[in-house]
């Protein structure tokens, strides 16, 4: 069975919802496939059910603002398909989607990829032990299940998300054993030169300061300039070792450790479609090469939201609307002059939303030790490949990520290299004494997500029935 639509949107976070509302306003038929059970993306996850409950208040006003966005999306007339996994898009465009154990194809004239970001991988000794999670995962549990750890938790990393989560956790009645801040010494001074252009976002800066003050008032122990981390235990996390820049080393008991070192765009779908990417020096990751509308190097494939470069929800929405406006113009629903006029305020909003990014990128750039884990550290947890094995192989000739993938199976597991791709690239770069941007990334092939034989068979069943 084949379903056709003018515009296929992948993801129902801030960018995907904004794009759908705009596209529908200009008369396009829109289908939104989303692997989550409800709209909102990560930032507004579970907003429709949580907004009217007492547990919404600790999550803050920014979270609550997602309720009206989700309502507008629900009422715009787009066909929304939650719990649907996109696993391939062929030129043309023919998309393969699985929902409820059945696969089918969807055709579209244009595609907007609004698949968001993922937490930056940070392998360290013991990171695969039960009891070690990412801050993002813990925040999902807090938003969707009101899950507050019974015992004090340790949090390690840097960036706005750990600060936000800790204030949310404290407001929800949780307890924090300590915060291991991995921001290197001297980063604030380097970041301040970017501050003048971000003064228009003074409210965001003050919000971040309020989170830090809340932690101080709560008496949360803060250990600064942590460079190395090690989780230990027999079958589960039991203790935590850390080392600071000034040589201070300590061991503390721990049952839960939450880690976070920033986020990077989810680029697997653009790479699989042959979209060009480039190295973003400020954000230390690859981003799709896009024009002013968000259109990629492949015609009629757009990328919006954090998948286009990290900017947050306030940047994601104008990016989504810009992409939808361009699709409407290309499909003859808007003339060029009208599209340009409608785009002007969106571009202004996007520039404003991104004004603070250079400051944040410089302040929270990944520390050097993050990409140089000890030899015994698992880098590819799917295939159990260690940093030492990758280093040894990287020094044999001049192999790239795809050769090392073939030699070691790193990147061949269920996550398709999402958790080891950047670590692999940095290990190769260090072993071969060349810049990481020259190393490149894995070659991504379908399926983008695991697919069962039964799901593949259901495609033949539907074609036979048709």
């Amino acid at each position: 069975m084949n379903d056709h639509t003018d515009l296929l949107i992948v993801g129902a976070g801030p960018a995907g919802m904004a794009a759908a509302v705009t596209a529908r306003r200009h008369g396009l038929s829109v289908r939104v496939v989303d692997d989550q059970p409800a709209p909102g993306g990560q930032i507004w996850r579970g907003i429709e059910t949580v907004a009217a409950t007492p547990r919404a208040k600790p999550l803050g006003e920014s979270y609550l603002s997602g309720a009206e966005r989700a309502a507008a999306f629900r009422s715009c007339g787009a066909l929304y398909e939650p719990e649907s996994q996109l696993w391939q898009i062929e030129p043309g465009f023919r998309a393969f989607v699985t929902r409820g154990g059945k696969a089918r194809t969807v055709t579209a004239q244009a595609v907007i990829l609004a698949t968001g970001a993922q937490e930056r991988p940070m392998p360290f000794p013991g990171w695969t032990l039960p009891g070690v999670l990412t801050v993002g995962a813990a925040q999902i549990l807090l938003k969707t299940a009101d899950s507050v750890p019974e015992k004090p938790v340790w949090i390690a990393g840097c960036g706005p998300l750990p600060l936000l989560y800790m204030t949310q956790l404290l407001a929800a009645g949780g307890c924090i054993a300590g915060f291991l801040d991995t921001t290197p010494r001297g980063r604030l001074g380097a970041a301040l030169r970017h501050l003048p252009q971000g003064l228009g976002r003074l409210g965001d800066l003050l919000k971040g300061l309020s989170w830090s003050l809340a932690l101080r008032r709560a008496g949360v122990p803060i250990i600064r300039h942590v460079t190395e981390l090690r989780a230990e235990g027999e079958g589960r996390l039991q203790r935590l070792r850390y080392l600071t820049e000034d040589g201070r080393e300590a061991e503390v008991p721990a049952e839960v450790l939450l880690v976070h070192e920033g986020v990077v765009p989810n680029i697997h779908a653009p790479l699989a479609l042959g979209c060009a990417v480039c190295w973003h020096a400020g954000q230390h990751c690859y981003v799709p090469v896009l024009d002013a509308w968000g259109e990629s190097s492949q015609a009629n494939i757009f990328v919006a939201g954090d998948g286009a470069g990290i900017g947050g929800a306030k940047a994601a929405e104008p990016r989504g609307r810009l992409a939808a406006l361009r699709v409407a113009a290309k499909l003859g629903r808007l003339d060029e002059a009208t599209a340009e006029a409608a785009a002007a305020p969106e571009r202004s909003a996007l520039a404003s939303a991104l004004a603070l990014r250079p400051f944040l990128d410089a302040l929270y750039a990944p520390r050097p030790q993050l990409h140089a884990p000890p030899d015994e550290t698992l880098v590819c947890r799917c295939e159990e490949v260690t940093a030492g094995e990758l280093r040894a192989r990287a020094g044999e000739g001049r192999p790239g990520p795809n050769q090392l993938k073939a030699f070691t199976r790193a990147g061949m597991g269920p996550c398709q290299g999402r958790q080891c791709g950047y670590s692999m690239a940095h290990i190769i770069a260090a072993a071969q004494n060349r810049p990481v941007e020259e190393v490149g990334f894995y070659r991504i092939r379908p399926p983008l997500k695991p697919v069962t034989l039964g799901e593949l068979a259901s495609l033949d069943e539907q074609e036979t029935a048709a």
Side-chain angles (χ1 to χ4, degrees):
M1 182 174 63
N2 182 279
D3 298 305
H4 182 74
T5 187
D6 292 330
L7 174 61
L8 174 66
I9 299 175
V10 184
M17 292 193 295
V21 171
T22 301
R24 287 296 301 146
R25 188 178 297 130
H26 294 290
L28 298 176
S29 60
V30 178
R31 183 184 298 265
V32 181
V33 296
D34 185 22
D35 58 7
Q36 300 302 319
Q42 167 61 8
I43 189 169
W44 294 322
R45 187 183 291 265
I47 186 64
E48 291 178 314
T49 55
V50 176
T53 68
R55 59 192 176 96
K57 187 176 180 180
L59 298 175
E61 290 299 323
S62 295
Y63 176 73
L64 288 171
S65 68
E68 62 180 88
R69 267 75 159 196
F73 169 67
R74 289 282 194 183
S75 63
C76 76
L79 180 59
Y80 176 51
E81 298 185 356
E83 298 184 308
S84 298
Q85 287 204 330
L86 172 82
W87 46 270
Q88 184 177 1
I89 300 180
E90 294 179 343
F93 299 100
R94 186 185 185 210
F96 293 78
V97 180
T98 293
R99 187 183 188 192
K102 299 288 185 181
R104 72 182 195 289
T105 59
V106 176
T107 58
Q109 292 179 263
V111 177
I112 296 178
L113 300 171
T115 52
Q118 65 170 73
E119 289 182 88
R120 187 187 299 274
M122 53 171 299
F124 59 92
W127 72 295
T128 60
L129 277 175
V132 181
L133 296 86
T134 66
V135 172
Q139 192 184 52
I140 289 173
L141 291 171
L142 180 62
K143 289 177 178 177
T144 59
D146 197 23
S147 177
V148 176
E150 292 183 0
K151 297 184 178 180
V153 301
W154 282 92
I155 295 175
C158 68
L161 184 60
L163 299 177
L164 170 60
Y165 173 74
M166 284 188 282
T167 59
Q168 291 174 333
L169 183 62
L170 291 172
C175 185
I176 300 169
F179 175 38
L180 303 177
D181 186 352
T182 61
T183 308
R185 192 186 305 275
R187 281 288 172 80
L188 181 57
L192 284 175
R193 65 188 178 91
H194 299 289
L195 190 56
Q197 71 186 76
L199 289 179
R201 308 300 301 183
L202 187 59
D204 293 337
L205 283 172
L206 293 176
K207 186 184 297 183
L209 288 173
S210 72
W211 296 338
S212 296
L213 290 173
L215 299 182
R216 288 185 178 277
R217 286 195 299 268
V220 174
I222 300 176
I223 297 91
R224 301 197 182 277
H225 314 310
V226 172
T227 58
E228 296 180 19
L229 199 61
R230 184 180 292 268
E232 297 177 344
E234 289 68 53
R236 62 181 178 84
L237 177 65
Q238 294 174 319
R239 55 193 174 274
L240 183 62
R241 294 178 185 268
Y242 63 85
L243 177 68
T244 64
E245 279 186 25
D246 57 9
R248 182 159 51 100
E249 188 173 3
E251 178 182 313
V252 294
E255 293 188 31
V256 178
L257 170 64
L258 308 178
V259 296
H260 179 85
E261 293 276 359
V263 293
V264 294
N266 188 337
I267 59 171
H268 272 54
L271 285 175
L273 289 165
C275 300
V277 298
C278 64
W279 183 258
H280 191 306
Q283 297 185 354
H284 295 263
C285 60
Y286 287 100
V287 298
V289 176
L290 307 172
D291 68 10
W293 298 94
E295 189 169 12
S296 73
S297 60
Q298 299 291 331
N300 295 327
I301 296 178
F302 295 75
V303 184
D306 275 350
I310 304 305
K314 290 180 180 177
E317 291 183 287
R319 280 172 166 166
R321 288 190 283 265
L322 283 168
L325 286 170
R326 184 59 179 159
V327 172
K330 295 187 80 169
L331 297 187
R333 307 302 173 88
L334 273 178
D335 60 72
E336 294 292 337
T338 303
E340 286 289 350
E346 301 300 342
R347 292 203 173 103
S348 177
L350 178 57
S352 174
L354 293 176
L356 195 59
R357 284 313 314 178
F359 171 80
L360 295 174
D361 292 341
L363 180 61
Y364 297 122
R367 57 195 164 90
Q369 298 87 350
L370 183 67
H371 299 300
D375 281 349
E376 73 273 17
T377 307
L378 281 179
V379 170
C380 175
R381 64 189 303 169
C382 297
E383 298 294 330
E384 299 186 339
V385 182
T386 66
E389 184 176 355
L390 293 175
R391 284 193 181 98
R393 290 284 190 170
E396 298 174 355
R398 201 174 172 86
N402 294 296
Q403 288 83 5
L404 277 187
K405 181 179 180 180
F407 295 159
T408 66
R409 293 192 56 84
M412 289 189 182
C415 87
Q416 295 287 286
R418 289 172 176 84
Q419 292 301 314
C420 64
Y422 282 111
S423 300
M424 163 88 85
H426 280 85
I427 287 172
I428 292 173
Q432 299 175 1
N433 194 29
R434 56 176 172 148
V436 66
E437 54 265 35
E438 290 183 8
V439 172
F441 203 77
Y442 290 131
R443 187 176 297 111
I444 306 302
R445 295 186 175 93
L448 295 170
K449 300 287 180 70
V451 182
T452 67
L453 289 174
E455 290 165 356
L456 290 172
S458 68
L459 286 172
D460 288 336
E461 293 171 4
Q462 291 173 23
E463 288 177 3
T464 302

